[in-house]
Amino acid sequence: MAQLPEGTGPGSEAYDDALDEHHAESWSYLDDWACHGRAILDIQAATRRAGPQPKRPRFPLLTSRHSGYRATRR
């Protein structure tokens, strides 16, 4: 919140104006959460249910280059 003059407290006009400005800045964040919050929580829950994932992806074993087309062509 903005720096208020000395002795300004709740109920004064300067305090209420600063509080209104702070709330106005917060509306966009609240709106984002209202629109997308459920999806974020669903993603988190699905991630937890999936359990631990392997640290490295497992790739199929590759065959050597000589066992393919070139080896039979000679």
Side-chain angles (χ1 to χ4, degrees), residues 3-4 9 17 27 31 51 53-54 60 62 70 73-74:
Q3 187 68 26
L4 296 174
D17 289 344
W27 280 116
D31 186 52
Q53 300 294 317
L62 300 176
R70 294 181 91 194
R73 195 171 161 213
R74 292 183 185 177

Side-chain angles (χ1 to χ4, degrees), residues 11-50:
S12 68
E13 188 175 340
Y15 181 88
D16 290 340
D17 289 344
L19 188 60
D20 289 342
E21 181 180 332
H22 172 73
H23 288 164
E25 292 171 0
S26 301
W27 280 116
S28 68
Y29 298 109
L30 292 171
D31 186 52
D32 286 345
W33 178 252
C35 292
H36 307 293
R38 174 60 22 209
I40 293 169
L41 294 174
D42 289 344
I43 291 169
Q44 180 189 22
T47 304
R48 288 180 182 238
R49 280 192 305 268

